[in-house]
């Protein structure tokens, strides 16, 4: 049997970045590839290699095992190791895996280009965010939050894994809070979630069959997400008027689409700002009751009324366990808290709690503790009053500025609460181009097509985020761009 | 045209629970159903109904709209409304939607019965938890946590929505911390997640194709979850020995199974407690490099060595961007914090960050802030030393008790760190029955079949959770049950 030679002119470099055994593997491969060590030749003994290279025998064994696993050498009784293969493909040197193909392979759809761009630019402090759906930092209660954190001595009671439905004292506080909004929900029918978005995620994965039909307002916040599409749900938009979603076609749509759910944002709808009237609420409830069409009510903005209290949520009129109700502290208190809740029939809540346990083992104990402190003892209520006053002022500025610069080129309604003005341009415009031209002026827009793929007429303007001066100047700039 | 009569003997009850318009709907339905108001008959005028019933006309309209939507009446020009249908199915009175069918329909699989039972019993304080994978409350640093919370004045800097990858100061702290474990990871290649479980979830949804093959140790923690199965991944178990996953078949399995990933827990493996040796780590890395088989390294327990420092993670030997590394503060500091991280090639991290944004808009700002405080300035390191001392003591108690009561009926290895002893019974036992019999004695077990569906020989014993006395007494009880 041919014996492979062992030149004395090479030794692994112990100071190199590459581990010694990898260097040995590379060396042997080179020998095989070059034909120095042909197929069927016998390798030097382990001891010879260890001595010549000045390494432990175990290092040699590691390298040989690897070459064996790769099919390049094999062990033959009585003869040590022989070269068994010199296929080039096996010899190709290490390269990183093709991560890009992994990235493209993943099941979960990527955020839309525009949403990704918005997520990125939102971290650029030099940009004026004219559509952002969150309270401006100056309205976030930093001082009070720190006060609360400082007052927690002796109150930190649970640092372990959470109960599936969330920390009981927080569920109790949420239950008491919901009573002020006309909703009777015992703590057992409440699930604490890490924000309303997670609520939608859990509902999508936990209780809906693949391919279910979902009725929703058109436009809707939901169109900007892929949370339902991920489970291959079909979204069927229902038109709105100034009272909210239009009820006439609901029953027919439910039947035609075999819809499993109506998703609605009755109060200060995202993106249109619409407040569903009391009467419309009754109609929608009645139709859904008759049709046994469950409602997913997203009440993220419900407490942000500005002129007079908004009608109670649909959940408050729900006598048949028809409504899954979703609330959140993101829009009123702090998005960073990541606290929201789902209220619904107990078997549904239990199912969603099980899915939540499988998703992230529950919500941050710290966030739950802080949220409970806010909800107790009227602190949250007082904070809401401050926020309403500030939003009122900002809304007035936005209205005045729109009046001044947009009355001939756009239409809008004054919202009765929430963050948004749904600006309708009188002339169709290329929104993609407007988006870029605005960005060139350091203004970030939320174009209507995020919320309704066919839209090229609307912009979602938020009076909650940009500073009051920026709101004025950016709106002026925008009007100039539109006139250009 | 037949005209429907309007008896004066009925009026809606304004004090009833049911809204007035619903009472009207029910009343008209009864009239139609009973045949009092036959098909094609003309309804009384809206005014007549409003007057007779003493309600607003708008209430009558609400009820009629609803009956119209349901297809029971229709509007005919010049004649007001007529009865158009008296199908019984349309007349059936309101009932809640069939939520149970929704609960069963959801895409996401439920936790296994045993895991659900464990999740439930874990909230019962009268139960001794002999398998629980978390530090006992007495080892959680409540006092220091409160100290930290009290020291945050002026440090609360971000209450808004988070950057997709997580709060930069925390990513910087994690980056510095990882350097002590041999891992060079710039903050840009780190994604903050809400615990290691979420990391697995994001990876499963973000970068793996439906139906991908996953190689993993058998048994494995991963078998107790449905995180990969949810995306229809196939799990292919690879046998272990006392050095960790066995390398010989890895390359073949990769090819045979067309595997996309190797999931491994090299340090203090869950459930076996095994520590992968340095040499085995090198072999596994070498094979995976050659095969371009990416590794998902779960290092939840890596810092919990008890006798001597564990070898560095695989990620520390990774020169080709092969390893996605997952870390967590749950096992060392607090599960309630819900803080973990993923380290990997930037395009992968960016993709996972986008999926995370679509899942829950980022991790709690409070948890991120607290975690950063721990990781800075050696606090975490000091805490680890305390924990190790306590775990060492607990391990000794477990070993002594096992020695005393189990040496003739079971076998085990002393773990070098982590929480777990993988107790192998000498006789096969019905684990389901053992589970129930132990529960009757208020002892909660983690049977081996949770971690390997075919297992009926093992129990995962944890020395981290039960109090030291309970550990002794419950192990004794268990030995009695096994002898019975
Ligand atoms: C209607 C609506 N629902 C839910 C959310 C998500 O809120 P959270 O931060 O609670 O996840 C938003 C935020 O934009 C929203 O506008
Ligand atoms: C190996 C392993 N990985 C991940 C986890 C999940 O930990 P986390 O609380 O960080 O989500 C656990 C917890 O049991 C575990 O044992």
């Amino acid at each position: 049997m041919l014996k492979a030679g062992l030149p004395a002119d090479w030794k692994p470099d112990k100071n190199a970045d590459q581990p010694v055994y990898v260097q040995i593997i590379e060396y042997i491969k080179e020998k095989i590839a070059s034909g120095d060590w042909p197929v069927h030749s016998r390798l030097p003994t382990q001891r010879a290699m260890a001595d010549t290279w000045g390494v432990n025998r175990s290092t040699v064994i590691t390298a040989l095992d690897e070459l064996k696993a790769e099919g390049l050498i094999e062990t033959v009784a009585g003869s040590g190791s022989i070269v068994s293969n010199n296929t080039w493909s096996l010899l190709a040197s290490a390269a990183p895996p093709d991560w890009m193909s992994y990235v493209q392979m993943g099941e979960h759809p990527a955020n839309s280009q525009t949403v990704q761009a918005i997520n990125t630019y939102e971290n650029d402090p030099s940009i004026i965010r004219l559509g952002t759906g969150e309270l401006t930092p100056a309205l976030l209660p930093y001082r009070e939050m720190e006060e609360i954190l400082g007052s927690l001595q002796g109150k930190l009671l649970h640092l372990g894994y959470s109960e599936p439905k969330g920390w009981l004292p927080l569920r109790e506080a949420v239950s008491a809070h919901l009573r002020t909004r006309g909703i009777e929900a015992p703590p057992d029918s409440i699930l604490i979630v890490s924000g309303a978005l997670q609520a939608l995620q859990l509902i999508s994965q936990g209780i809906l069959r693949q391919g279910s039909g979902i009725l929703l307002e058109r436009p809707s916040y939901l169109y900007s997400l892929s949370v339902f599409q991920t489970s291959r749900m079909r979204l069927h938009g229902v038109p709105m008027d100034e009272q909210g979603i239009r009820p006439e076609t609901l029953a027919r749509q439910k039947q035609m689409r075999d819809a499993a759910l109506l998703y609605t944002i009755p109060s200060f709808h995202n993106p249109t700002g619409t407040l569903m009237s009391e009467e419309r609420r009754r109609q929608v409830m009645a139709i859904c009751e008759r049709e046994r069409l469950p409602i997913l009510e997203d009440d993220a903005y419900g407490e942000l009324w500005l002129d007079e209290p908004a009608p109670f949520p649909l959940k408050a009129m729900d006598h048949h366990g028809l409504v899954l109700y979703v609330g959140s502290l993101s829009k009123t208190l702090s998005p960073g808290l990541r606290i929201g809740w789902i209220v619904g029939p107990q078997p549904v809540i239990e199912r969603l709690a099980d899915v939540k346990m499988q998703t992230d083992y529950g919500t941050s104990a710290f966030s739950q503790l802080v949220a409970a402190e806010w909800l107790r003892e009227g602190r949250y209520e007082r904070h809401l009053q401050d926020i309403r006053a500030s939003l009122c002022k900002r809304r007035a500025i936005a209205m005045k500025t729109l009046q001044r610069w947009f009355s001939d080129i756009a239409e809008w309604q004054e919202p009765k609460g929430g963050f948004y003005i749904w600006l309708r341009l009188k002339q169709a415009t290329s929104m993609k181009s407007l988006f870029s031209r605005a960005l060139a002026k350091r203004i970030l827009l939320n174009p209507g097509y995020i919320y309704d793929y066919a839209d090229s007429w609307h912009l979602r303007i938020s009076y909650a985020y940009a500073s009051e001066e920026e709101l004025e100047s950016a709106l002026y700039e925008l009007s100039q761009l539109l006139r250009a």
Side-chain angles (χ1 to χ4, degrees), chain A:
Chain A
M1 192 182 273
L2 197 70
K3 249 180 98 179
L6 192 56
D9 65 2
W10 183 82
K11 265 195 201 336
D13 175 1
K14 292 190 177 165
N15 301 315
D17 238 349
Q18 223 180 15
V20 165
Y21 81 101
V22 174
Q23 297 178 46
I24 295 177
I25 290 169
E26 296 296 353
Y27 179 73
I28 296 180
K29 286 197 167 178
E30 204 195 286
K31 287 285 164 207
I32 298 175
S34 66
D36 280 351
W37 294 8
V39 171
H40 301 312
S41 62
R42 175 148 35 115
L43 266 64
T45 62
Q46 291 172 2
R47 169 152 323 160
M49 293 194 266
D51 290 347
T52 309
W53 296 334
V55 300
N56 284 335
R57 207 159 138 194
S58 70
T59 310
V60 173
I61 293 173
T62 303
L64 295 183
D65 279 347
E66 150 72 344
L67 290 162
K68 220 182 292 170
E70 287 180 58
L72 286 165
I73 66 175
E74 57 188 69
T75 319
V76 175
S79 330
S81 302
I82 64 162
V83 176
S84 58
N85 199 316
N86 61 1
T87 313
W88 267 102
S89 68
L90 292 183
L91 291 162
S93 72
D98 180 8
W99 282 116
M100 284 318 291
S101 78
Y102 277 77
V103 165
Q104 282 147 17
M105 230 39 129
E107 264 305 286
H108 204 293
N111 257 321
S112 84
Q113 295 282 319
T114 309
V115 173
Q116 282 195 45
I118 290 175
N119 284 346
T120 306
Y121 286 111
E122 283 185 345
N123 293 307
D124 178 342
S126 79
I127 289 238
I128 301 183
R129 296 156 61 174
L130 207 47
T132 291
E134 87 184 81
L135 288 175
T136 198
L139 293 185
L140 296 178
Y142 282 93
R143 201 186 42 72
E144 267 191 281
M145 282 285 189
E146 291 185 347
E147 223 174 86
I148 288 179
L149 292 176
S151 75
L152 292 177
Q153 312 305 319
K155 293 192 183 167
L156 194 60
L157 297 172
H158 72 123
L159 287 175
Y161 285 106
S162 156
E163 284 183 72
K165 290 182 190 170
W167 193 43
L168 183 58
L170 175 57
R171 284 188 284 130
E172 285 166 350
V174 170
S175 173
H177 172 66
L178 286 172
R179 210 164 299 128
T180 68
R181 314 211 58 224
I183 297 173
E184 282 299 328
D188 246 13
S189 64
I190 296 173
L191 171 64
I192 302 300
V193 290
S194 306
L197 175 59
Q198 185 178 58
L200 305 184
Q201 195 79 44
L202 296 174
I203 288 165
S204 154
Q205 290 177 10
I207 60 165
L208 295 173
R209 191 177 35 189
Q210 278 218 353
S212 294
I214 310 287
L215 306 186
L216 74 173
E217 285 116 2
R218 178 169 174 184
S220 174
Y221 166 65
L222 203 57
Y223 281 107
S224 73
L225 307 175
S226 60
V227 52
F228 283 90
Q229 290 92 317
T230 308
S231 315
R232 297 180 213 292
M233 312 285 164
R234 294 164 290 110
L235 303 188
H236 302 293
V238 176
M240 306 178 69
D241 59 24
E242 61 296 342
Q243 310 231 32
I245 195 166
R246 284 175 53 182
E248 309 88 18
T249 62
L250 270 181
R252 204 176 333 126
Q253 288 255 24
K254 146 78 162 76
Q255 284 152 15
M256 256 169 55
R257 311 299 195 172
D258 192 23
L261 208 62
L262 167 65
Y263 170 82
T264 177
I265 311 167
S267 295
F268 316 120
H269 176 259
N270 179 358
T272 66
T274 308
L275 176 65
M276 195 187 284
S277 65
E278 180 99 36
E279 185 176 331
R280 183 63 57 84
R281 286 172 198 244
R282 265 192 249 109
Q283 291 171 335
V284 169
M285 281 300 287
I287 294 169
C288 290
E289 269 175 18
R290 295 302 134 176
E291 294 291 331
R292 299 198 195 175
L293 176 61
I295 297 175
L296 172 47
E297 176 177 31
D298 185 336
D299 196 31
Y301 301 91
E303 295 173 307
L304 295 173
W305 49 266
L306 298 182
D307 306 316
E308 52 177 0
F312 276 161
L314 298 174
K315 185 68 189 167
M317 324 175 167
D318 180 21
H319 304 290
H320 293 99
L322 191 72
V323 179
L324 288 184
Y325 173 87
V326 171
S328 167
L329 295 178
S330 290
K331 304 303 176 182
T332 50
L333 194 55
S334 150
L337 201 53
R338 308 308 309 129
I339 292 287
W341 43 83
I342 312 178
V343 179
Q346 232 173 288
V348 175
I349 292 302
E350 258 140 41
R351 163 72 175 147
L352 298 177
D354 182 50
V355 177
K356 164 105 173 132
M357 283 304 273
Q358 298 185 58
T359 302
D360 64 6
Y361 286 137
T363 290
S364 158
F366 294 88
S367 288
Q368 294 193 71
L369 184 58
V370 170
E373 290 296 311
W374 272 100
L375 289 177
R376 283 198 284 248
E377 293 161 30
R379 210 191 265 268
Y380 181 60
E381 208 40 68
R382 283 193 301 277
H383 166 74
L384 283 177
Q385 283 164 20
D386 295 348
I387 292 298
R388 283 187 198 118
S390 306
L391 285 176
C392 240
K393 186 159 163 237
R394 291 170 151 269
R395 180 183 62 176
I397 292 170
M399 284 295 136
K400 197 193 66 200
T401 314
L402 287 174
Q403 210 66 54
R404 178 143 176 218
W405 302 111
F406 287 77
S407 36
D408 55 333
I409 52 173
E411 291 167 339
W412 61 92
Q413 299 276 335
E414 179 171 70
K416 299 198 176 97
F419 294 166
Y420 307 120
I421 299 164
W422 190 230
L423 194 69
R424 182 188 162 81
L425 307 180
K426 292 189 176 168
Q427 278 198 343
T429 310
S430 160
M431 283 292 167
K432 300 231 159 155
S433 136
L434 183 65
F435 182 79
S436 316
R437 285 186 295 136
L439 214 45
K441 302 244 174 222
R442 320 297 299 154
I443 297 172
L444 189 59
L445 297 177
N446 284 45
Y449 64 77
I450 300 179
Y451 311 100
D452 176 359
Y453 57 90
D455 187 284
S456 58
W457 295 90
H458 292 89
L459 290 169
R460 183 183 88 175
I461 303 292
S462 159
Y463 48 88
Y465 196 84
S467 74
E468 300 178 4
E469 300 70 40
E470 285 174 346
L471 194 56
E472 275 185 294
S473 67
L475 280 175
Y476 166 73
E477 287 271 16
L478 175 63
S479 74
Q480 294 301 97
L481 285 176
L482 284 169
R483 285 172 210 285

